[in-house]
Amino acid sequence: MRTFKALSALLTYPSEDLQAAIPAIREVLDAEALVHLGQRLALEPLLESLEAGDIYDLQERYVLLFDRSRTLSLNLFEHIHGESRDRGGAMVDLLETYRAGGFDLTGPELPDHLPVLLEYLSTRPLAEAKEILADAGHIIAVLAERLSRRETPYAAVLTALAVLAQAGTDSAEAEAMLAEADDDPEDLEALDAVYEEAQVTFAPDPNAGCPISRDILARMDVPKTPASAGTAQ
């Protein structure tokens, strides 16, 4: 389902390519209707801001949310394995799953990066995609809750994914995650202290304001300019 690619693109670092692709992304969401109407309407504030907002403001907002807050990290295994050795093993297993499905990573993204997972799911049968998404459902539901607390339009993407995964925050795992205090992205000293303790366990971290949306949009075949607008493949 191209819907998973569309949602993947919405969670990547904002770029002019992404801005130009918003009409095509909206068209995919409406045509497939995998995300129901109410949730598509909830996505509109994000779609509109990405389409018409100042690119530097959009990038700053993204960095504050996803780069400077580990509790909002889009690297899923960060929330269950942290920087332990278990995370590296889990990512190797996930990478092998991708390769077995004929899906190869071509950019710097980690295998557990949510936009990457969503792009992979777009290549799988819907039932299988939902089952895989459900495995990460409690993490996605927690991210949706945390983003909703911050009143950011990105919450609508995670909420839509939580619904597709049939996941909520009432599990023991989700409750444990929510018990952790949210990071303050403005407290750079505290965040520096946290990252000094972290170890790189698999590959360069893409969550440093890296414009990965260019690679994902290219793989989506989404147009890069309004003049060549079409639909995502």
Side-chain angles (χ1 to χ4, degrees), residues 76-229:
L76 299 176
F77 293 158
E78 171 75 22
H79 301 284
I80 52 178
H81 297 304
E83 298 299 331
S84 72
R85 296 192 179 192
D86 290 341
R87 183 182 181 190
M91 282 199 285
V92 169
D93 291 342
L94 183 57
L95 189 58
E96 288 303 313
T97 297
Y98 290 164
R99 288 172 176 166
F103 179 81
D104 291 319
L105 298 184
T106 59
E109 306 98 318
L110 295 174
D112 66 333
H113 194 57
L114 182 54
V116 174
L117 177 64
L118 293 174
E119 188 185 357
Y120 171 70
L121 296 185
S122 73
T123 70
R124 311 311 300 166
L126 181 58
E128 179 186 339
K130 285 186 174 182
E131 183 178 351
I132 294 173
L133 192 66
D135 289 340
H138 65 289
I139 304 173
I140 291 169
V142 167
L143 289 174
E145 172 66 22
R146 286 174 173 163
L147 289 167
S148 295
R149 289 176 183 173
R150 300 198 185 196
E151 299 182 343
T152 168
Y154 279 103
V157 183
L158 276 298
T159 298
L161 289 170
V163 171
L164 289 173
Q166 297 183 327
T169 58
D170 53 352
S171 67
E173 295 85 355
E175 290 175 357
M177 289 177 60
L178 287 173
E180 182 181 357
D182 289 351
D183 294 329
D184 178 2
E186 302 291 349
D187 189 348
L188 298 183
E189 182 176 347
L191 291 171
D192 285 344
V194 170
Y195 279 106
E196 283 178 2
E197 298 176 359
Q199 299 179 359
V200 177
T201 59
F202 193 81
D205 191 342
N207 288 339
C210 176
I212 63 173
S213 61
R214 182 181 300 273
D215 291 335
I216 291 180
L217 289 170
R219 294 195 289 269
M220 287 178 66
D221 292 331
V222 168
K224 293 186 178 181
T225 64
S228 59

Side-chain angles (χ1 to χ4, degrees), residues 27-45:
E27 183 177 345
V28 167
L29 294 173
D30 290 341
E32 293 189 342
L34 182 61
V35 175
H36 69 63
L37 178 59
Q39 292 169 336
R40 297 202 304 274
L41 292 175
L43 285 168
E44 272 304 311

Side-chain angles (χ1 to χ4, degrees), residues 7-23:
L7 296 176
S8 171
L10 292 178
L11 290 176
T12 60
Y13 184 74
S15 66
E16 292 179 353
D17 291 342
L18 177 59
Q19 288 186 304
I22 293 301

